[in-house]
Amino acid sequence: MPEIKELVKGLADKHGRTRESLLPILQGIISEERFISDAAMTEVARELDMSAALVYGTATFYSFLDTKPRGKYVIRVCRTITCDMKGKKQIVKTLEDLLKVNVGETTKDNKFTLLETNCLGWCHKGPAMLINDEAYTELTEEKVSEIIGDYMKNK
Amino acid sequence: MPDKKLKRVDLIFSEDCGYKDVLAESLKMSNEKILQEILDSGLRGRGGAGFPTGLKWKFTSQEPGDEKYVVCNADEGEPGTFKDREILSRVPLKVFGGMAVCGKVIGAKHGYIYLRGEYQFLKADLEKALDEFHASLKESGFDFQIHILMGSGAYICGEESALFESMEGKRGEPRNKPPYPTIAGFRSKPTVINNVETLVYSFMICRIGAKKFQELGTADSRGSKVFSISGDTPIAGIYELELGMSLEDFVEEFGDGDTKAVQVGGAAGFCVPRKKFKDTIIGFEGVPTGGSMMLFNSSRSMYNVLKNYVEFFEEESCGQCTPCRVGCQQLKKGIEAVKKGDKSAHYLETLQKLAETMKVTSKCGLGQSVANSFSSIVDNFKEEMIY
């Protein structure tokens, strides 16, 4: 996988090749690829001269460092109680209907992954979700349809 | 009985001072003077634990060696808290200012902001503000650099020693304490780690003086605090309030008229039922909070609330120590079994004993604080757990 090799090398050049560089490098892979494949982890281990187990152990600790295949856009709906009280369940259902997947799954075209996550820090404007790094708040069914429609068409 | 009334304060977000002037003046003050001001002010950490800020700075300043660090804990993950995001997006320069002043006092050349992954969208603006800040520092001739490191969605990394582990590129698993961060923190060097809000207050104390800050609040809880208010309230949002008010006053102001309980301090905090509003002080002498205030009205099932918290802890437990890892799983299974009728109501007492055991035996604050919400909800809303 020459592309992964290039990507990891570029990230290591930027962040360094010490243990402290590991998290920024893994985060860099996520922002490019949305998940860290086994091949990517082995490549990071080789580039940083550490064991692959160590890279795996670190990556799998963090919920945003996905090690399973993810779509181009990862949707994380906040499941904390205040968002739940403002209608998060309906928002998840709307997303499931629109994308035709269940929570935890990726669409067939690999464009969207639907996940739930813990408190996003938008409790006064719930329900809230992240699409990759972008936050969307005060969601309604209409708003969600609009946002997803826009991603489907334009991105 | 609380003697303070609810009072809005405007310190954190106040625009009346150019941060540049405050910075220039603070950098001219002697370290002893700044330290004395922070100590006299009675400021305690605003992340929730409430350790006296002045002491942290003092201990770290007394450590030998010239490699020391200032770390800003911006890994705000407590359910119901969003004040640090607001502070970082509205007054980032004051946060940096607090870090620089701390750096001067303890003798650090580098400061780090550990920003939670969920707030990645803030990073670009923060970096822009940092450029401006570094330019002003250069003008004043003080050698101090601030860097931003990102988290990746782990609540436990808000625990200070787990945060250092994460900054060092490792799994965010809490360390054994002692040694405390003032002796061995980031890279095992003396480190001051403060919450975002604490740093802004430190900076503001340099401006207004300890005396003025002390006039606010109570003997145990000096000053004011930024509250993140959510749940069943018509006016959810961020409010800076004087510490020491009663929960009754608070609910009067922010409730929807039908408040049955308030969760003070997030999932790791305490649930206070209506009958105790009057006698509950919000502050370190009563129920402390890192800012999270979630209101529930009588239409809400407290079972759902508790289940949501326990699921949260089960997922966010780092898994390192057994009481927390297994305890969270068993608490969740246990309340589900009681609700279903698979276990008798009596079983709730067994679960409460388990929560108490977790409090005594868990390695860090996460496992130790599960009992807070668990016991306060089960005690006060027992029938809702059963039926």
Side-chain angles (χ1 to χ4, degrees):
Chain A
M1 296 239 282
E3 301 115 66
I4 277 289
K5 224 177 161 120
E6 278 306 301
L7 174 64
V8 171
K9 187 176 177 299
L11 287 165
D13 287 343
K14 185 175 167 197
H15 298 293
R17 287 173 169 77
T18 64
R19 179 78 206 246
E20 276 179 26
S21 331
L22 180 56
L23 220 45
I25 290 174
L26 295 176
Q27 288 162 345
I29 297 174
I30 287 288
S31 67
E32 288 299 315
E33 306 275 315
R34 303 324 315 175
F35 83 105
I36 310 167
S37 62
D38 289 357
M41 281 188 268
T42 342
E43 188 54 34
V44 171
R46 203 192 54 76
E47 192 70 49
L48 268 56
D49 195 18
M50 54 177 69
S51 85
L54 211 142
V55 177
Y56 178 83
T58 308
T60 49
F61 184 86
Y62 295 92
S63 64
F64 279 22
L65 300 180
D66 288 305
T67 49
K68 289 190 195 106
R70 298 291 187 223
K72 189 174 170 200
Y73 299 105
V74 180
I75 305 171
R76 295 173 204 269
V77 184
C78 179
R79 63 154 157 256
T80 295
I81 189 71
T82 37
C83 278
D84 190 83
M85 282 157 51
K86 300 279 181 234
K88 162 242 154 190
K89 283 191 190 79
Q90 193 51 47
I91 297 302
V92 169
K93 192 168 178 308
T94 309
L95 283 163
E96 286 178 334
D97 290 347
L98 283 168
L99 303 171
K100 301 183 177 62
V101 292
N102 294 318
V103 171
E105 294 175 351
T106 301
T107 53
K108 281 210 179 74
D109 60 1
N110 271 330
K111 198 157 177 187
F112 298 96
T113 300
L114 178 60
L115 301 172
E116 287 187 358
T117 190
N118 289 323
C119 193
L120 289 175
W122 291 98
C123 322
H124 57 325
K125 291 186 173 174
M129 66 176 177
L130 283 179
I131 301 184
N132 291 350
D133 296 330
E134 201 72 37
Y136 295 89
T137 60
E138 292 172 292
L139 298 173
T140 57
E141 287 176 58
E142 297 77 49
K143 213 164 154 183
V144 168
S145 309
E146 233 170 80
I147 295 164
I148 296 301
D150 188 46
Y151 271 86
M152 282 175 164
K153 240 189 287 159
N154 305 324
K155 296 189 183 181
Chain B
M1 284 299 271
D3 54 353
K4 286 278 172 186
K5 287 278 157 205
L6 185 136
K7 191 172 118 196
R8 296 194 189 195
V9 179
D10 183 25
L11 270 178
I12 291 272
F13 299 108
S14 66
E15 306 279 345
D16 66 324
C17 67
Y19 84 94
K20 264 192 183 177
D21 298 338
V22 185
L23 186 68
E25 275 166 42
S26 316
L27 292 178
K28 265 186 244 150
M29 277 158 79
S30 75
N31 289 346
E32 291 71 30
K33 169 96 172 104
I34 298 175
L35 208 47
Q36 204 52 52
E37 286 291 312
I38 304 286
L39 280 167
D40 289 347
S41 72
L43 175 65
R44 296 171 67 167
R46 293 298 193 241
F51 192 81
T53 306
L55 285 181
K56 256 191 203 180
W57 291 23
K58 189 176 165 193
F59 293 153
T60 312
S61 72
Q62 287 166 345
E63 284 299 309
D66 50 7
E67 191 186 342
K68 298 181 184 178
Y69 298 100
V70 181
V71 175
C72 168
N73 186 344
D75 193 51
E76 173 178 65
E78 192 60 50
T81 319
F82 42 95
K83 61 172 182 86
D84 293 342
R85 171 178 51 72
E86 194 86 358
I87 293 171
L88 284 167
S89 54
R90 281 169 63 185
V91 287
L93 292 161
K94 286 189 186 175
V95 181
F96 307 155
M99 292 177 75
V101 172
C102 177
K104 173 181 145 66
V105 171
I106 65 164
K109 298 261 178 293
H110 292 275
Y112 289 85
I113 297 174
Y114 185 92
L115 185 66
R116 71 191 299 228
E118 288 85 340
Y119 294 169
Q120 172 80 39
F121 57 86
L122 286 177
K123 199 180 173 205
D125 283 347
L126 280 177
E127 277 170 344
K128 217 187 283 165
L130 256 186
D131 287 342
E132 184 190 332
F133 185 76
H134 283 146
S136 342
L137 274 186
K138 212 169 178 186
E139 270 171 41
S140 63
F142 180 55
D143 175 20
F144 188 73
Q145 276 276 327
I146 296 176
H147 319 264
I148 302 174
L149 292 176
M150 295 305 300
S152 268
Y155 167 73
I156 188 58
C157 289
E159 197 280 339
E160 53 192 20
S161 65
L163 189 147
F164 298 140
E165 289 288 298
S166 182
M167 284 173 68
E168 292 171 11
K170 303 173 196 157
R171 292 163 67 88
E173 290 173 346
R175 299 172 180 168
N176 286 326
K177 288 188 217 177
Y180 292 97
T182 52
I183 295 170
F186 180 45
R187 294 176 181 157
S188 298
K189 299 293 176 195
T191 305
V192 164
I193 176 162
N194 280 145
N195 173 261
V196 174
E197 186 186 343
T198 313
L199 287 162
V200 179
Y201 274 124
S202 309
F203 192 60
M204 292 313 286
I205 288 165
C206 290
R207 174 183 147 74
I208 63 169
K211 214 167 160 232
K212 215 160 169 199
F213 186 80
Q214 256 203 4
E215 284 167 10
L216 293 168
T218 63
D220 273 348
S221 316
R222 295 283 179 212
S224 50
K225 160 113 203 62
V226 183
F227 290 87
S228 314
I229 300 168
S230 66
D232 293 314
T233 163
I235 45 171
I238 296 284
Y239 298 87
E240 188 176 5
L241 305 170
E242 180 176 3
L243 283 168
M245 79 204 106
S246 74
L247 197 50
E248 188 177 46
D249 280 3
F250 178 87
V251 169
E252 177 95 357
E253 179 85 5
F254 297 103
D256 62 357
D258 186 27
T259 308
K260 101 166 153 186
V262 180
Q263 181 77 21
V264 184
F270 295 86
C271 183
V272 184
R274 186 186 288 152
K275 62 174 186 268
K276 292 183 188 161
F277 285 172
K278 205 171 178 167
D279 298 322
T280 303
I281 300 176
I282 304 173
F284 295 106
E285 58 271 78
V287 185
T289 172
S292 173
M293 303 292 281
M294 296 188 271
L295 292 90
F296 303 109
N297 70 22
S298 54
S299 73
R300 305 296 175 188
S301 152
M302 296 312 287
Y303 171 79
N304 287 349
V305 173
L306 180 59
K307 188 159 172 264
N308 190 284
Y309 293 162
V310 181
E311 278 170 352
F312 167 75
F313 284 125
E314 184 202 20
E315 195 178 299
E316 296 293 349
S317 168
C318 81
Q320 189 185 187
C321 75
T322 314
C324 177
R325 182 186 64 245
V326 180
C328 290
Q329 293 167 358
Q330 292 303 320
L331 290 180
K332 186 182 136 201
K333 268 194 191 165
I335 58 166
E336 284 170 346
V338 171
K339 189 79 178 176
K340 263 202 234 153
D342 292 348
K343 292 271 184 195
S344 75
H346 218 62
Y347 191 61
L348 287 172
E349 281 162 37
T350 311
L351 294 176
Q352 280 194 311
K353 274 189 209 147
L354 171 60
E356 281 309 309
T357 306
M358 290 169 68
K359 190 174 216 159
V360 181
T361 54
S362 293
K363 184 169 173 176
C364 82
L366 193 156
Q368 289 162 11
S369 58
V370 174
N372 296 351
S373 53
F374 192 86
S375 292
S376 59
I377 294 179
V378 171
D379 275 342
N380 291 304
F381 299 97
K382 199 166 224 160
E383 52 300 332
E384 291 195 39
M385 301 302 121
I386 304 165
Y387 305 107

